[in-house]
Amino acid sequence: MANIKEIARIAGVSVTTVSRVLNNHPYVSKDKRTAVLETIEQLNYTRNMNAVHLITGRTGAVAVILPYINSFYFSVVMDGLAQAALAAQYRLILCQTNYVPEEELKVLDMLRNKEIDGVIIVSTALKPEVIESYTIYGPVVTCQNSGERQFSSVYIEHYAAFRHGLEYLYGKGHRRIGYCEGRQNGSSASIRQNAFQDFLAEKGLLFDPEWMIFDCMREEDGAEVARLLLDNPDRSGRPEAMMISGDHIAAGLIIEARKHGLKIPEDLAVMGFDNQPIGRLLGITTIDNQLYQMGEAAFGIIHEQINGSSLPVTRKLDYRIIERSTV
């Protein structure tokens, strides 16, 4: 099997020149680069990447833990991650885990086994202390607030963001407010639930458990919520506004509600979360929580840490309400 010494001999250049060509180094003359590349093709040379990784101490790859690849929320974060990784010439290994802790631990074990340079956790079922125990093997960044830890995090304040949205609905005159959420026991979902219940209690508003609907993950779930509301013929017995943790779910609700003659926002005001493309198309009032920027920032932090920055970073992103036509 050919090696770089043989390539150098046949091409009539130094081993250093061959190494520079293989690593796409700019300071190689055109003639020498052409000679090396032609020799590589002639010998059908393939680099031993395991050897390269041993020499450099890096794999050029970062693993991304996310529960579902087909979620709009996670896909926007992934877009930011992927664009930043591409600019840095890094490969991303996507690991769908379905919130199964054992599957998430398998990815962290890849870090321990030096198969990857770092791990970005978009959303997880693991406890922060479990994640923290792996930081001795390499950098880890989460896209949620885990408090003061030995790993970095990028996040928005879900409590403050949700309270801001509820204050906006209240300011529009809405007093009977319902709420759609994804996972009931998720870390961010639990924070939003606390914000919702605290807000209603402070304003002295009615809390109806039937207006707090969980497991809303897809557009079809939003449509099902619309049907549930329509099944109640007594308008005073249903919410007049819905706070929904995902524009795609809000879209499903709005489309189904309009099919049955429900006017948005006259009969039902709808406020989304995430500022997704479908929300922009349907004019959904929403909270922009900078998901794309979250992905960009997460990769930027881990790239810096792979290249020598050792201190954990905690970065809080801003959020804002985008006023459209559904409230």
Side-chain angles (χ1 to χ4, degrees):
M1 182 177 178
N3 56 42
I4 63 172
K5 288 183 179 179
E6 186 176 0
I7 294 169
R9 180 183 62 80
I10 296 172
V13 298
S14 68
V15 170
T16 300
T17 297
V18 176
S19 178
R20 285 177 175 172
V21 172
L22 289 172
N23 289 288
N24 202 26
H25 198 285
Y27 302 115
V28 179
S29 70
K30 183 178 179 181
D31 290 344
K32 288 182 178 180
R33 188 181 298 275
T34 300
V36 170
L37 291 175
E38 287 178 351
T39 304
I40 287 172
E41 185 176 356
Q42 174 189 337
L43 297 176
N44 195 25
Y45 170 77
T46 303
R47 300 178 79 184
N48 183 338
M49 293 311 298
N50 288 330
V52 173
H53 297 162
L54 284 171
I55 293 168
T56 63
R58 297 180 188 167
T59 65
V62 168
V64 181
I65 293 176
L66 71 170
Y68 314 113
I69 292 174
N70 62 349
S71 161
F72 281 93
Y73 180 99
F74 301 130
S75 69
V76 179
V77 177
M78 277 306 311
D79 192 16
L81 273 169
Q83 294 299 329
L86 183 63
Q89 292 294 288
Y90 245 79
R91 291 176 293 119
L92 295 181
I93 301 173
L94 270 59
C95 304
Q96 178 170 317
T97 61
N98 291 16
Y99 284 120
V100 177
E102 292 78 12
E103 294 300 322
E104 296 178 1
L105 289 171
K106 288 179 184 177
V107 183
L108 289 170
D109 282 337
M110 292 171 65
L111 183 65
R112 179 168 60 183
N113 296 333
K114 306 300 181 185
E115 299 172 52
I116 50 177
D117 296 338
V119 178
I120 296 172
I121 301 176
V122 180
S123 188
T124 179
L126 296 175
K127 298 290 185 184
E129 54 268 24
V130 175
I131 298 170
E132 195 167 41
S133 69
Y134 280 83
T135 57
I136 59 174
Y137 305 115
V140 178
V141 177
T142 64
C143 295
Q144 55 194 50
N145 186 8
S146 300
E148 295 297 321
R149 296 287 175 179
Q150 292 304 307
F151 55 85
S152 298
S153 60
V154 184
Y155 66 94
I156 69 156
E157 287 282 8
H158 282 267
Y159 188 95
F162 226 62
R163 282 291 301 253
H164 194 176
L166 291 164
E167 288 282 4
Y168 180 83
L169 290 174
Y170 189 86
K172 291 287 187 176
H174 301 299
R175 299 296 181 265
R176 302 194 310 275
I177 303 173
Y179 168 38
C180 293
E181 181 57 79
R183 288 194 311 146
Q184 183 170 358
N185 299 317
S187 57
S188 298
S190 298
I191 292 169
R192 292 192 290 262
Q193 290 168 52
N194 289 336
F196 182 69
Q197 295 189 39
D198 289 350
F199 178 82
L200 295 186
E202 289 173 20
K203 297 294 187 182
L205 303 180
L206 170 67
F207 172 68
D208 189 331
E210 292 187 0
W211 295 357
M212 199 169 183
I213 305 167
F214 297 103
D215 299 321
C216 294
M217 309 292 287
R218 306 167 303 152
E219 296 91 334
E220 292 84 356
D221 298 324
E224 179 60 28
V225 171
R227 288 190 286 270
L228 287 173
L229 296 176
L230 289 162
D231 283 344
N232 188 341
D234 182 6
R235 184 171 175 175
S236 64
R238 66 189 188 207
E240 58 190 11
M242 293 295 296
M243 189 80 179
I244 302 177
S245 64
D247 285 358
H248 61 295
I249 302 163
L253 187 155
I254 289 168
I255 291 169
E256 185 67 17
R258 285 173 173 166
K259 282 182 184 177
H260 296 275
L262 205 64
K263 294 180 181 178
I264 308 294
E266 294 83 358
D267 298 325
L268 179 69
V270 178
M271 186 163 197
F273 204 75
D274 295 344
N275 191 26
Q276 298 172 15
I278 194 169
R280 296 193 285 274
L281 287 171
L282 292 178
I284 299 174
T285 298
T286 190
I287 297 173
D288 181 3
N289 49 5
Q290 298 197 69
L291 296 181
Y292 184 92
Q293 290 82 356
M294 185 182 293
E296 275 188 321
F299 184 83
I301 290 170
I302 207 160
H303 192 241
E304 288 175 4
Q305 293 180 336
I306 289 168
N307 287 288
S309 176
S310 58
L311 294 176
V313 175
T314 301
R315 186 171 301 169
K316 182 171 69 173
L317 300 178
D318 293 329
Y319 62 86
R320 63 193 176 107
I321 290 176
I322 297 180
E323 300 182 65
R324 296 191 180 116
S325 61
T326 58
V327 174

